[in-house]
Amino acid sequence: MTVKTLTINDQLITASEEQTILEAAKEAEINIPTLCHLEGISDIGACRLCLVEIEGSSKLQPACVTQVQEGMVIKTDTEKLQAYRRMTVELLFAEGNHVCAVCVVNGNCQLQNVAIRAGMDHSRFPYQFPKRDVDLSHSQFALDHNRCILCTRCVRVCDEIEGAHVWDVASRGGQSFIVSGINQPWGEVDTCTSCGKCVDACPTGAIFRQGSTVAEMNHDPGKIGFLVTARENKEWTR
């Protein structure tokens, strides 16, 4: 396995040629914010929060899907990146209906954490206040489209880990939304195993356990990475 040497934030590090910038940075304890990334499933570069500056490149590159190369010089926290990330978070809040004070994951929300880190206390963009439904048809879980940010973590975890293929994305652009089955109510989808992996994968209050009250719901995204490692190494102790 070839080892690459690169520089991240003036820190000289080494990484495997198969690693992404995000993985290399994590090993070096350099934090890069993400929302669509989740350990154990494939990366798609959807949220664009992990964009970094690479010397010699005129474009910002998503760290989660960009492989390391020899001699790379990378910056992860410049003023330009900070401004871009704040704008991205503001747009996410503006295009949905994210009212943290009445959300089941208030205080336990990855979107909320990213917003705090980005220094966002309001959105400069006009709120769209879209009319979105809440699906309560499942016996255990619920889907609130108002809080969905289309990270597709639920889609990927159900496909790649559970193999049930319950979730997908319908429509295009700003009209896109998550669907279960063939745009059926979640509770009517026979392929759903009620495993709860999509619940733990969700970074916001979009997918939650029914009966959870404000600030009561806790996701456990680390469970997904554990399951993958356990299956590969046959180590089932957590």
Side-chain angles (χ1 to χ4, degrees):
M1 185 178 295
T2 305
V3 174
K4 303 292 184 180
T5 303
L6 58 152
T7 303
I8 304 181
N9 296 345
D10 300 322
Q11 180 178 335
L12 189 65
I13 67 172
T14 58
S16 163
E17 64 177 347
E18 297 179 350
Q19 286 186 304
T20 63
I21 294 173
L22 183 64
E23 292 170 333
K26 184 177 180 180
E27 285 191 358
E29 298 183 350
I30 298 171
N31 184 268
I32 300 176
T34 63
L35 277 174
C36 66
H37 169 77
L38 181 63
E39 293 292 333
I41 59 176
S42 62
D43 284 305
I44 59 171
C47 70
R48 315 309 280 182
L49 283 171
C50 70
L51 290 180
V52 296
E53 292 186 38
I54 302 176
E55 188 175 285
S57 175
S58 60
K59 297 180 179 180
L60 302 179
Q61 301 292 340
C64 67
V65 292
T66 303
Q67 286 188 302
V68 298
Q69 296 181 20
E70 181 66 32
M72 270 184 165
V73 178
I74 302 164
K75 297 292 185 181
T76 71
D77 200 28
T78 63
E79 288 186 11
K80 179 180 180 179
L81 291 170
Q82 290 172 5
Y84 187 91
R85 287 168 182 156
R86 174 170 176 167
M87 179 184 68
T88 300
V89 177
E90 287 179 25
L91 287 168
L92 287 173
F93 273 86
E95 71 178 8
N97 295 315
H98 302 280
V99 185
C100 298
V102 295
C103 183
V104 293
V105 295
N106 185 23
N108 302 302
C109 174
Q110 291 183 44
L111 175 62
Q112 192 178 56
N113 292 341
V114 168
I116 293 170
R117 179 179 172 181
M120 176 198 157
D121 55 8
H122 70 285
S123 177
R124 294 164 291 176
F125 305 98
Y127 288 90
Q128 297 182 18
F129 299 114
K131 185 178 180 180
R132 296 177 178 174
D133 297 325
V134 179
D135 185 349
L136 298 170
S137 61
H138 195 282
S139 60
Q140 301 178 48
F141 314 122
L143 169 62
D144 186 348
H145 290 280
N146 294 285
R147 306 186 187 281
C148 180
I149 58 172
L150 291 174
C151 67
T152 72
R153 278 162 54 156
C154 59
V155 177
R156 286 173 284 149
V157 75
C158 189
D159 178 17
E160 300 171 15
I161 309 300
E162 184 62 16
H165 313 282
V166 171
W167 302 104
D168 210 334
V169 180
S171 197
R172 296 181 179 181
Q175 303 303 314
S176 298
F177 62 99
I178 294 293
V179 293
S180 52
I182 310 176
N183 202 10
Q184 303 165 266
W186 187 1
E188 297 179 11
V189 181
D190 293 335
T191 56
C192 180
T193 62
S194 300
C195 67
K197 292 183 180 65
C198 58
V199 181
D200 284 316
C202 183
T204 68
I207 304 180
F208 59 95
R209 292 180 179 84
Q210 291 200 40
S212 300
T213 59
V214 174
E216 188 178 52
M217 175 68 202
N218 277 297
H219 295 293
D220 187 8
K223 182 186 296 182
I224 309 303
F226 163 75
L227 286 173
V228 173
T229 301
R231 289 178 180 179
E232 291 177 349
N233 302 331
K234 301 187 184 302
E235 298 174 353
W236 295 97
T237 302
R238 192 180 183 196

